[in-house]
Amino acid sequence: MSDKQRFPVVPTRMAIAAMKQRLKGATKGRKLLKSKSDALTLRFRQIVKQIVDDKERTGFLMRDAAFSLSQAKYTAGEIAHTVEENVTTATVKLKLGTENAMGVRLPVFEQQNEAGAENLMGLARGGQRIRQCKETYAKALEGLIRLASLQTSFVTLDHAIKQTNRRVNALEYVIIPKITNTIAYIDSELDERDREDFYRLKKVQDKKKRELDKKNAQREQRRADAASLVAADGAAALNRKLARLQAVNAAAANPQLLALATADGVAAGGGGGGGERRWPL
């Protein structure tokens, strides 16, 4: 496993606990972002369907408006200069609002109509046709405003969906695999460390056991040496007693040796009668 496929961490118990918590958060975040992406995609498809319908409807409105303008021009003549002279302020204004869709703010254009000066151009000059043309263009303008709002929301949602999908892919194919590889790396390092500790402990126990066996062997050897020394001293004492007994038996068999032994015993007992008297057997 290369270092690029995991995060640079120290393999410890705290690190693996932090990585597991991070994996849990990344998994939950990916799930939430996936749900957000699905909801935005559903709303995106609805907006696309509305855009298609509104474009078709607005096309019919613009066609009717252009046809109404042609009728007004045919009836009343050129009215552009008259409209420019009479109109001083706009009667239709836009107000920008927002709509929340899964945390994404979609711009919404709201139409505000203001009262304007009504200049009746008279029935003789086609005032009815001009008024009808104005109403038709007002409907077309309303459709254009609604279509502009949908188009802006379409672009905003498209950007938000792409950004959310990039985050989902980053979590799914980069972050979560890296965290998983890091957890596996820490697990392997901790297992290797446990094996090393177990092997070291086993070696220490074996060494202690060998030292204890050596001490026991030395103790047994000292005991055996002490027992052999005691046995040797006993054997020497016994030999001395046997030698003395043999000497006594030999003296008993030879009177002259008995007299010498008796004299030696009296001399060994010391003067003044303080010693033990040895009588001949």
Side-chain angles (χ1 to χ4, degrees):
M1 184 188 302
S2 63
D3 295 338
K4 294 182 179 180
Q5 296 178 357
R6 61 176 177 83
F7 292 102
V9 294
V10 179
T12 58
R13 301 289 180 186
M14 295 182 61
I16 194 171
M19 281 292 132
K20 287 182 179 180
Q21 190 67 25
R22 190 172 179 181
L23 178 62
K24 182 179 179 181
T27 306
K28 185 176 181 180
R30 177 196 166 278
K31 183 178 179 180
L32 292 176
L33 286 176
K34 187 65 176 176
S35 300
K36 178 181 178 181
S37 177
D38 295 339
L40 291 179
T41 304
L42 181 61
R43 183 63 184 277
F44 181 80
R45 292 175 180 175
Q46 292 176 355
I47 289 178
V48 169
K49 184 177 180 181
Q50 291 179 4
I51 287 175
V52 172
D53 295 339
D54 285 352
K55 276 187 175 182
E56 185 177 0
R57 189 182 303 110
T58 304
F60 290 131
L61 291 175
M62 293 299 296
R63 184 196 61 184
D64 295 340
F67 185 71
S68 178
L69 178 61
S70 300
Q71 288 180 344
K73 285 183 178 181
Y74 179 78
T75 305
E78 186 64 34
I79 60 175
H81 298 289
T82 306
V83 172
E84 291 176 359
E85 291 176 358
N86 294 330
V87 175
T88 56
T89 58
T91 58
V92 178
K93 294 183 179 180
L94 295 180
K95 180 182 179 181
L96 180 61
T98 57
E99 181 182 358
N100 190 1
M102 295 295 294
V104 180
R105 295 186 176 274
L106 302 178
V108 177
F109 298 120
E110 298 178 0
Q111 180 178 350
Q112 292 182 346
N113 297 322
E114 296 183 0
E118 291 288 342
N119 185 12
L120 298 177
M121 305 189 69
L123 296 176
R125 300 185 58 186
Q128 185 177 1
R129 291 291 183 183
I130 295 174
R131 193 176 300 107
Q132 184 179 0
C133 178
K134 179 181 178 181
E135 293 175 356
T136 307
Y137 265 98
K139 293 180 181 180
L141 181 60
E142 183 179 354
L144 287 175
I145 293 173
R146 185 170 58 254
L147 183 60
S149 178
L150 290 174
Q151 289 278 13
T152 309
S153 299
F154 172 84
V155 175
T156 306
L157 272 180
D158 182 58
H159 178 71
I161 289 173
K162 289 180 180 178
Q163 185 177 8
T164 305
N165 288 335
R166 283 196 297 268
R167 291 178 180 176
V168 171
N169 293 332
L171 286 173
E172 184 175 358
Y173 298 107
V174 179
I175 302 299
I176 292 178
K178 269 192 173 184
I179 295 176
T180 305
N181 293 335
T182 305
I183 292 175
Y185 164 73
I186 296 175
D187 279 334
S188 63
E189 290 295 326
L190 291 178
D191 291 341
E192 183 68 24
R193 189 177 302 174
D194 291 339
R195 286 192 292 269
E196 291 177 358
D197 293 339
F198 178 75
Y199 180 76
R200 190 181 301 111
L201 181 61
K202 188 175 180 180
K203 284 295 183 182
V204 171
Q205 289 179 351
D206 292 341
K207 185 177 180 181
K208 288 183 178 180
K209 185 178 180 180
R210 288 195 301 269
E211 291 178 355
L212 183 61
D213 294 340
K214 185 178 180 180
K215 289 180 179 180
N216 292 332
Q218 292 176 355
R219 188 181 300 111
E220 293 295 331
Q221 184 65 32
R222 287 195 298 269
R223 288 179 181 178
D225 294 342
S228 63
L229 290 175
V230 171
D233 292 340
L238 182 60
N239 291 331
R240 287 193 298 271
K241 289 182 179 180
L242 290 175
R244 192 180 300 115
L245 183 60
Q246 290 176 359
V248 170
N249 293 331
N254 193 350
Q256 293 179 357
L257 292 176
L258 180 61
L260 289 175
T262 304
D264 292 339
V266 172
E276 180 182 0
R277 181 177 296 273
R278 297 187 177 182
W279 300 98
L281 297 174

